Amino acid sequence: WTNNAAVNGHHGFWFAMPVRPRNLALKLYGLNDAYAWPRKHPLGKFDGNVAHSNRENGLHIDDMENEDGTTSLGSFTPMKGPYKAEYPYGSGVLEASFTNFVSYKNRDSGVWGKTSLAFSNCILEDNNRAFMVNGKTVLSDSLIVGETSNLGNPHQTTRFN
């Protein structure tokens, strides 16, 4: 998750991890693997990514995948494994750090998330809302610009012949 650009999609980057492995991951790890809990896995590195001109959010950490393929409200809480079925919380919460993220001209939020996250050195500009999160989330050493004179490509209702 380094130095990627996500442009003109529904969400730029969408973290929609299922509770347990599905599809190929299920074949690889099975349901009995004590480390196979996608919503609990450490993030690794998310650095230098850019999201712009998306229909919804630049970075979306919500609407997690259910076993039947639908989505529902959910959060990403990275933990130190192993995880047990009866107590799938591992042995402590780990910080999920998002660094040097740039998010601009998204029609909804620059960042939307549900969990405890750490953001640093980010630039969030010209989004409808810059930073919509809950939990113990921290935004540090970052820049938020509410609105610029750049109109981008607003919705047009006129048809061209």
Side-chain angles (χ1 to χ4, degrees), residues 15-79:
F15 284 75
M17 297 82 73
V19 173
R20 296 306 312 261
R22 296 190 65 239
N23 305 321
L24 180 59
L26 180 61
K27 291 177 186 174
L28 289 172
Y29 302 105
L31 289 176
N32 295 322
D33 188 315
Y35 290 91
W37 291 78
R39 288 189 203 174
K40 307 291 182 204
H41 277 241
L43 175 64
K45 190 173 185 179
F46 189 96
D47 181 67
N49 296 299
V50 177
H52 70 87
S53 306
N54 292 292
R55 196 166 52 248
E56 293 290 331
N57 304 313
L59 174 61
H60 188 80
I61 308 167
D62 191 1
D63 299 317
M64 301 293 176
E65 187 177 13
N66 298 318
E67 288 184 26
D68 64 1
T70 61
T71 60
S72 61
L73 300 178
S75 65
F76 167 53
T77 308
M79 306 259 179

Side-chain angles (χ1 to χ4, degrees), residues 12-151:
F13 297 93
W14 183 3
F15 284 75
M17 297 82 73
V19 173
R20 296 306 312 261
R22 296 190 65 239
N23 305 321
L24 180 59
L26 180 61
K27 291 177 186 174
L28 289 172
Y29 302 105
L31 289 176
N32 295 322
D33 188 315
Y35 290 91
W37 291 78
R39 288 189 203 174
K40 307 291 182 204
H41 277 241
L43 175 64
K45 190 173 185 179
F46 189 96
D47 181 67
N49 296 299
V50 177
H52 70 87
S53 306
N54 292 292
R55 196 166 52 248
E56 293 290 331
N57 304 313
L59 174 61
H60 188 80
I61 308 167
D62 191 1
D63 299 317
M64 301 293 176
E65 187 177 13
N66 298 318
E67 288 184 26
D68 64 1
T70 61
T71 60
S72 61
L73 300 178
S75 65
F76 167 53
T77 308
M79 306 259 179
K80 185 177 179 184
Y83 319 104
K84 299 177 183 171
E86 63 274 4
Y87 188 72
Y89 300 108
S91 57
V93 176
L94 298 173
E95 183 175 86
S97 296
F98 297 79
T99 56
N100 302 305
F101 179 57
V102 177
S103 185
Y104 64 96
K105 287 287 182 200
N106 297 292
R107 293 203 185 271
D108 197 346
S109 299
V111 173
W112 176 286
K114 289 188 176 180
T115 193
S116 297
L117 307 166
F119 291 86
S120 62
N121 299 314
C122 297
I123 299 173
L124 309 172
E125 61 182 326
D126 246 355
N127 299 292
N128 187 35
R129 293 177 294 215
F131 199 67
M132 295 296 296
V133 296
N134 65 15
K136 296 178 183 177
T137 297
V138 175
L139 175 67
S140 63
D141 301 319
S142 297
L143 173 68
I144 294 177
V145 177
E147 186 175 348
T148 70
S149 60
N150 179 356
L151 296 178

